[in-house]
Amino acid sequence: MTSELENTIDLLGELIAFPTVSKDSNLDMINHLAHRLEDVGARVQVFQDSTGKKANLFGTIGPDVDGGIVLSGHSDVVPVVGQDWTSDPFQMVERDGLLYGRGACDMKGFIAATVSMAPILAKRVNARPLHFAFTYDEEIGCFGAVDLIESLKAHDIRPGVAIIGEPTSMRVIEGHKGCYEYSTHFCGLAGHGSAPDLGVNAVEYAARYIGRLLELKEELRGMAPEGSQFVPPWTTISTGALHGGVAHNVIPEQAQVDWDMRPVQTSDATFVNDNLHRYCNDVLLPAMQAVSPGASIRVDSIGEIDGLEPVEENEARDIIMELTGANGTDLVAFGTEAGIFQGYGMSAVICGPGSIDQAHKADEYVSIDQMQQCVEMLARLGDKLDS
């Protein structure tokens, strides 16, 4: 085992020991990473959120110029509550060439590799800067990445390439759908079930709303872009939950529909949201308010995360294909922060150690072999910085 790989595994153990579940603070881990990067001469900025309990890290090695290469990963992990782990999820354990622990593949393995390789990469930086971007709250809506882009805008920092190290088994991923999640709330008028015309049944109006979602779901099947490689190739809608009602004989005053949309293009999201807005304002609300003027419909956006759009010219993809020796690329179904970086004008690609099949589960792991491949890829990245 090379010293670079040993150092990476040691750091991964340290990072897993930080219980950075999204509901909790990530500051201790971010500060630990900041010190490691500062020790190799990186200029590090820590951007705290409005609560002061979460933070993004952005570090730079090399010249203060545009067009740098970003290595990015999210610091937060999903909860372990209710999962049947065979070892302490926040204590890395090695068994049969596998490294177990919460976040091992999603995505502290990649973060550990980038930071442990920073001293080597720092010696290779010449004309092009290398950036490190570690975010918070990816698992619950990519809020940290959105805030990070705003911080970069405020400081006029404009990198050119973003490499997001989500677990892809080191495959080169150039695209994924967006992930838009919503909760639509209906406020009606309660009453006795024996006199339904005197109340506004929020559950029934929510059901009509779901019916419109199903109609749009079918319309989208015929709107798949020509040549779309996604599976399925069209934008999808899924109704996740309907909440409402208190008893058989009570007209429900409140109801909530939780639903999501996975757009293959942003125009589809605009189409769906505009259509629903008209349906609520022109059809549902007039009927509800004819009985109760105070009735209302409110749509809460839980998160609107843009997809990573496959494009013909993509420097990030080309770099990683060269570094890994890959002769092709893939698309994935899961969402990442890559589209947020792409939206800021960077070329973006996803490639990292471990399999998404292991993420979010009990006994999450990354293999030592995958970590070795990642370390070797990053070592070769130095050639792109020394020119």
Side-chain angles (χ1 to χ4, degrees):
M1 188 181 297
T2 65
S3 60
E4 292 84 2
L5 180 58
E6 290 178 346
N7 292 338
T8 295
I9 292 174
D10 289 344
L11 180 54
L12 176 56
E14 295 173 14
L15 299 185
I16 287 174
F18 292 105
T20 53
V21 177
S22 300
K23 68 180 179 62
D24 299 320
S25 174
N26 72 335
L27 291 182
D28 287 345
M29 176 173 158
I30 289 295
N31 288 332
H32 184 70
L33 293 169
H35 293 321
R36 289 286 298 256
L37 290 172
E38 287 170 342
D39 285 345
V40 298
R43 304 183 298 280
V44 176
Q45 301 178 79
V46 174
F47 303 109
Q48 291 192 356
D49 75 343
S50 59
T51 70
K53 297 179 180 178
K54 305 281 185 73
N56 293 317
L57 180 155
F58 192 81
T60 301
I61 296 173
D64 184 15
V65 297
D66 292 342
I69 296 176
V70 176
L71 302 174
S72 179
H74 63 80
S75 64
D76 60 317
V77 297
V78 298
V80 299
V81 176
Q83 295 185 338
D84 187 18
W85 284 72
T86 57
S87 58
D88 184 344
F90 297 109
Q91 181 68 45
M92 189 180 73
V93 174
E94 178 185 345
R95 295 194 299 270
D96 301 321
L98 306 179
L99 304 169
Y100 291 87
R102 173 54 85 221
C105 70
D106 188 21
M107 54 186 301
K108 294 181 177 181
F110 181 75
I111 294 175
T114 63
V115 174
S116 68
M117 291 296 291
I120 295 173
L121 292 171
K123 296 176 183 178
R124 304 293 303 279
V125 171
N126 186 8
R128 190 171 204 178
L130 178 67
H131 305 289
F132 301 82
F134 306 136
T135 60
Y136 65 86
D137 285 358
E138 186 270 352
E139 297 289 5
I140 57 174
C142 295
F143 301 119
V146 172
D147 285 350
L148 176 64
I149 294 302
E150 292 304 312
S151 299
L152 298 185
K153 289 179 182 177
H155 290 77
D156 196 27
I157 300 171
R158 295 195 171 274
V161 167
I163 300 165
I164 295 85
E166 289 278 4
T168 68
S169 299
M170 296 303 295
R171 294 178 299 135
V172 182
I173 305 300
E174 65 170 335
H176 63 74
K177 294 182 181 181
C179 181
Y180 289 32
E181 296 184 344
Y182 304 96
S183 291
T184 305
H185 303 265
F186 297 81
C187 180
L189 179 65
H192 198 283
S194 63
D197 291 346
L198 299 181
V200 177
N201 192 313
V203 168
E204 292 181 357
Y205 280 98
R208 292 174 64 180
Y209 186 86
I210 292 173
R212 186 63 190 130
L213 285 175
L214 293 174
E215 292 172 353
L216 291 168
K217 180 178 181 178
E218 289 304 308
E219 290 183 42
L220 289 166
R221 286 176 175 266
M223 297 171 59
E226 184 176 353
S228 173
Q229 301 176 52
F230 289 107
V231 180
W234 53 79
T235 292
T236 60
I237 292 176
S238 175
T239 304
L242 169 59
H243 311 276
V246 294
H248 291 77
N249 60 352
V250 176
I251 298 171
E253 184 177 20
Q254 303 287 336
Q256 176 180 325
V257 177
D258 298 331
W259 61 282
D260 87 354
M261 170 171 45
R262 302 298 173 108
V264 298
Q265 51 192 0
T266 55
S267 59
D268 286 351
T270 301
F271 165 76
V272 169
N273 284 320
D274 286 351
N275 192 292
L276 289 170
H277 180 75
R278 290 194 302 271
Y279 182 63
C280 289
N281 285 348
D282 298 345
V283 179
L284 298 184
L285 269 176
M288 296 169 69
Q289 293 176 346
V291 178
S292 174
S296 64
I297 301 173
R298 185 184 82 250
V299 180
D300 288 345
S301 174
I302 308 305
E304 295 181 334
I305 307 305
D306 291 335
L308 175 61
E309 182 180 353
V311 293
E312 185 174 345
E313 299 292 331
N314 186 336
E315 184 187 5
R317 175 201 61 206
D318 296 344
I319 288 174
I320 294 302
M321 288 185 68
E322 179 183 342
L323 298 183
T324 61
N327 56 13
T329 63
D330 293 308
L331 308 179
V332 292
F334 61 87
T336 77
E337 297 170 328
I340 298 171
F341 289 98
Q342 187 181 56
Y344 188 49
M346 299 181 222
S347 66
V349 70
I350 308 163
C351 183
S355 169
I356 196 66
D357 293 338
Q358 306 305 325
H360 297 193
K361 297 179 180 179
D363 290 345
E364 175 184 347
Y365 68 80
V366 64
S367 71
I368 293 176
D369 177 67
Q370 287 276 300
M371 293 303 298
Q372 176 70 51
Q373 292 181 47
C374 185
V375 167
E376 291 174 352
M377 177 189 76
L378 293 171
R380 291 189 286 270
L381 178 63
D383 294 337
K384 301 297 178 182
L385 304 169
D386 190 24
S387 60

